[in-house]
Amino acid sequence: MPYTVMPYRARRPAGTRPGRTRLLLTALLLFTAAAGLGPLGAQRADAASNLVRNPGLEVLDGPSRFPQCFEKSGWGDNDFSFAVTDDAHSGSRAVRIQLTRRADGDRKTMMLENSCAPQVTPDHQYDLSFWYRSSTPDVAFTLFRHDTAQGWVYWTDLKTLPPSAAWTRTEVRTPVIPPNTDRITWGGALYGVGTLTTDDYAMTDATVPAEPDPCATGGTGPECRGRWTVQTADAPVRAIHSVLLHTGKVLLIAGSGNDQDAFRAGTFKTSLFDPATGGYTDIPTPEDFFCAGHVQLPDGRVLVVGGNKDYAAPDGSVGYKGLKSSYVFDPARNTYVRVNDMLAGHWYPSATAMGNGDVVALGGLGEDSSGTVVNEHFSYARNKWLPMGEAKQAWSFWGLYPSMILLQDGRLFYTGSHVFGNGLPGTGASVYDYDAGTISEVPGLRKKDERDQSMSVLLPPAQDQKVLTMGGGHHVVAPDAHRLTDLIDLKAASPQYVPGPDLPQGHYADGSPQTGAQGKVYLSAVILPDGKVLETGGALHTYREDPVFEASLYDPATNTFQAGLATDPVPRTYHSSSTLLPDGRVLSIGNNPGDGSFDQRVSIYQPPYLFRGDRPQITSLASTRWTYGTAQRITVDKPVVKASLIRPAAVTHSSDPNQRYVDLPMTVDGTTIDLSLTSNPNLAPPGWYMLSVVDAGGVPSVSRWVRIGSEGQVAAARVQSFADELKASEPSESGPATSAPGTSAPAQESAHRHHGVKMAEGYDGCDHAYGEISQCVPWSFPKMPRAERCTWLLDKGYGRMKVHGRDRHHLDRDKDGIACGKGDVRRS
């Protein structure tokens, strides 16, 4: 019987057959209440029913002589054997797997994917357990589910099991069963050389009924909509960048703050905001970090990548220039410390944290204002940017603030979200293998040239490897931003974007509602501890006008938006950002309208879960230093249903490619909970995270800070195969931007072919609603009557220009669609 939809698992080896429907059903009682199988530690009068058929592996299938309702499963390139052994935990039979060679993949004993697979109910949780002996740490408790639409699909790894020479019981609670799931199958996956023997499987329903949803019957209070509060004191800086530190404070970076007078005066600003007190601390800022990149390092310092070397010339002869200098902000001393220079300048770069703690930065504008194709690699161990030859190059221009999300196999997913202008050629989204230098296009992204300051999010939990891309625009292509969302499952064999639900619509400043296809650009998306995503802010147009007042909650489990949340009373358009705080509130800051002003009011959002009763508390934490692949013990003051780690934000320009929520499967014994941390650092790159638990009503605790990866790994990363059917382009011939000793002529030619990429239209400082892409009509004119602006432009050689969209500078006085034509020039 072949598998239906199983991209990660090899087909059943020849000679095996599914179990027969004639099956001796066994009902085992659980040994003691202390075994932790009761729902959240509640004492039961009777033991719960075991939902696993043939749980002790005692009944064999006649032809295969393998336990009925179980199968030999696995995938990949490895040498293995399965054996039924009398070395059992109880009874007379157990199953032993042995791997003698492994290149990739795994082998596992699991329930058959038919009526033998245990039935489940959506929204319930189940406690799963089995007994095992193992000679290797490379064992994962893995889980598959049957989706009524997609068939059988890999779901998640619940925990990593330590080696054990003696029989040991392992137990874990599933995440909430997703919609459209009717059965699951699970077991131990051996993915390293060694042996794994399993026996005595058990599964019980651990669901605690939740209170009725107060909003399901039309409630409109803060428990349904949340509440915004505008702080009495404005921020002292033009906050272009927001970074949450593990101290709980928020680093607000302005640099020159999009203010050329401040740039000329060398007035560069950073402020440290304390949400607990509402106070601010000025931080000396050595260079213009306006439109730099930034990312959290494993020890909690913040790496700042590039910034603004110079502003664009008003006549378009020179564009913005990127800094090649780089700094690290140290929260322990509240100071910036310079590190070595990068290989090239970068203005509007992205920075992605890798699984080993290093950082890959790419994209943006170079020191000569052209698009840079040079990748940068920061070594955390060496505390420096690597030189040419060590930093791997693809010689590809990725655009400005390209959203590059680290995937579970170490590759990078370019989502198609970017800043300014068209998307990249081709499909507009791709998987980039940094180590191999290959780029594989990913299909399906709609309106890929209208994704300026859309926002992409690796959806909760990170283990699901799903990304949602929301909204965006591009006023040269279309007058209004759109409301499209596109969703991709990157665990699929051939991943592609599929349409998601449209963004909910809001209203404008005059109270009029959005209509038709009107959406928004400049939106923010924030992962919350209940596993939902808050989207807020934005504007109808990419030239910073017509703010949209709207907020909603996206639920990854149902792929739906909850519309009608309370809205931020402050417009949040260009240069705005939103950040999750450790107490579960959301900070929103920034707004840079088209007139050049900057709104420095600060808003705080209290999501609905803060109005739904007492919050659970993490009352003790065994350790704040967590090692990959381990169980970490906490205690809580009331029953909870899930736990997670959320990486603190480092956001700007609707971009935070490192934002992620990592699920922590639980083993529960009353108020004592063991949390299982993934063994794969690509799912949770090393660093500081916010740990929170959530009760059955969806109410989260205040977060506690933990640092993961500080002690190294105890198990090899278990990486699922995916996206292998995407066609990868060959890596470009690599070479430095200029000749270097030993560089071949073809390599030099390749490097020079890819340099000098022209800046995409629409970049800050130039209004490309007029003329050709190469023309730069300034956002702000010298003081003069409007009627004289065309004369000023003509004196600088502009000539007649076609109007694309709105005539915001009043250059088309006769309304013929041509700016500065004969009827538009003031005659003396």
Side-chain angles (χ1 to χ4, degrees), residues 453-572:
Q453 288 178 85
S454 60
M455 191 157 187
S456 296
V457 181
L458 178 64
L459 292 173
Q463 288 92 331
D464 281 359
Q465 297 284 278
K466 292 181 179 179
V467 172
L468 186 70
T469 296
M470 297 178 277
H474 179 3
H475 68 269
V476 175
V477 176
D480 298 337
H482 59 79
R483 56 189 296 222
L484 301 181
T485 75
D486 288 289
L487 177 68
I488 187 168
D489 180 357
L490 287 153
K491 289 194 302 188
S494 298
Q496 62 180 341
Y497 272 112
V498 297
D502 286 349
L503 284 171
Q505 291 179 305
H507 64 273
Y508 301 112
D510 63 1
S512 61
Q514 288 193 289
T515 59
Q518 292 175 339
K520 57 184 182 177
V521 67
Y522 310 133
L523 72 163
S524 292
V526 181
I527 294 175
L528 301 178
D530 64 353
K532 296 179 182 179
V533 179
L534 170 70
E535 69 84 19
T536 181
L540 179 64
H541 297 119
T542 55
Y543 26 90
R544 323 181 202 178
E545 295 177 346
D546 298 314
V548 175
F549 297 86
E550 182 273 334
S552 69
L553 286 174
Y554 174 79
D555 186 348
T558 60
N559 190 29
T560 57
F561 284 97
Q562 176 192 338
L565 298 186
T567 60
D568 190 343
V570 179
R572 301 294 179 194

Side-chain angles (χ1 to χ4, degrees), residues 30 34-41 44 50-52 110-111 120 124-132 139-144 155-162 168-177 184-189 200-207 463 629-633 640-643 663-669 672-678:
L30 301 182
L37 294 182
L40 301 168
R44 291 172 170 168
N50 187 356
L51 302 177
V52 178
M110 301 179 69
M111 301 95 197
V120 293
H124 284 219
Q125 290 180 277
Y126 296 83
D127 284 325
L128 315 179
S129 67
F130 60 85
W131 289 80
Y132 78 97
V139 177
F141 199 133
T142 191
L143 179 63
F144 289 71
W155 186 5
T156 189
D157 284 350
L158 296 171
K159 67 190 300 186
T160 301
L161 308 185
T168 302
R169 182 175 178 272
T170 181
E171 181 190 28
V172 71
R173 181 160 294 175
T174 69
V176 174
I177 301 296
I184 63 172
T185 181
W186 47 274
D200 291 335
Y201 292 71
M203 171 176 169
T204 58
D205 193 329
T207 301
Q463 288 92 331
T630 60
Q632 298 292 331
R633 178 159 292 183
V640 297
V641 299
K642 61 182 175 182
D663 181 56
L664 298 171
M666 305 186 303
T667 300
V668 181
D669 184 4
T672 299
I673 302 175
D674 287 335
L675 305 175
S676 297
L677 176 63
T678 177

Side-chain angles (χ1 to χ4, degrees), residues 152-471:
W152 282 100
V153 294
Y154 166 73
W155 186 5
T156 189
D157 284 350
L158 296 171
K159 67 190 300 186
T160 301
L161 308 185
S164 178
W167 281 104
T168 302
R169 182 175 178 272
T170 181
E171 181 190 28
V172 71
R173 181 160 294 175
T174 69
V176 174
I177 301 296
N180 305 317
T181 301
D182 57 2
R183 293 182 184 271
I184 63 172
T185 181
W186 47 274
L190 176 63
Y191 59 98
V193 172
T195 61
L196 169 66
T197 307
T198 59
D199 196 5
D200 291 335
Y201 292 71
M203 171 176 169
T204 58
D205 193 329
T207 301
V208 174
E211 294 294 326
D213 184 353
C215 307
T217 55
T220 59
E223 72 279 5
C224 301
R225 304 181 69 239
R227 176 184 295 158
W228 289 90
T229 303
V230 180
Q231 304 299 286
T232 55
D234 288 356
V237 300
R238 290 181 159 202
I240 308 292
H241 312 265
S242 300
V243 184
L244 175 63
L245 307 175
H246 71 278
T247 61
K249 299 178 181 180
V250 183
L251 190 69
L252 302 175
I253 303 175
S256 61
N258 202 21
D259 182 342
Q260 293 193 52
D261 290 338
F263 177 81
R264 285 188 286 267
T267 305
F268 309 132
K269 293 183 178 181
T270 300
S271 186
L272 196 61
F273 173 60
D274 187 345
T277 66
Y280 295 87
T281 302
D282 290 336
I283 305 295
T285 306
E287 292 194 62
D288 190 4
F289 298 150
F290 168 56
C291 297
H294 37 60
V295 64
Q296 309 268 1
L297 293 174
D299 57 8
R301 295 176 301 151
V302 178
L303 178 65
V304 180
V305 182
N308 181 40
K309 183 179 179 181
D310 199 1
Y311 278 76
D315 63 3
S317 58
V318 178
Y320 279 80
K321 297 177 179 179
L323 287 173
K324 67 188 300 184
S325 53
S326 180
Y327 292 78
V328 169
F329 178 78
D330 185 352
R333 296 184 290 168
N334 282 351
T335 58
Y336 287 104
V337 179
R338 186 164 184 167
V339 294
N340 64 313
D341 288 353
M342 296 179 289
L343 297 170
H346 294 271
W347 183 78
Y348 277 68
S350 286
T352 301
M354 307 298 282
N356 63 353
D358 289 0
V359 172
V360 171
L362 38 70
L365 300 187
E367 290 185 293
D368 62 355
S369 82
S370 64
T372 181
V373 297
V374 178
N375 289 346
E376 310 284 354
H377 185 147
F378 184 83
S379 168
Y380 173 67
R382 295 158 64 180
N383 198 46
K384 64 177 289 187
W385 294 100
L386 297 183
M388 186 67 73
E390 293 187 51
K392 300 179 186 297
Q393 303 298 327
W395 303 114
S396 176
F397 179 55
W398 289 102
L400 278 65
Y401 284 133
S403 179
M404 300 292 270
I405 294 174
L406 177 68
L407 300 179
Q408 56 93 18
D409 67 354
R411 290 184 286 181
L412 296 170
F413 175 50
Y414 170 57
T415 70
S417 289
H418 61 279
V419 174
F420 302 140
N422 292 335
L424 296 185
T427 63
S430 56
V431 171
Y432 173 36
D433 190 326
Y434 171 75
D435 289 323
T438 56
I439 301 171
S440 308
E441 289 197 348
V442 173
L445 181 64
R446 296 176 292 170
K447 295 193 175 183
K448 63 102 175 175
D449 289 332
E450 298 177 44
R451 293 291 180 169
D452 178 1
Q453 288 178 85
S454 60
M455 191 157 187
S456 296
V457 181
L458 178 64
L459 292 173
Q463 288 92 331
D464 281 359
Q465 297 284 278
K466 292 181 179 179
V467 172
L468 186 70
T469 296
M470 297 178 277

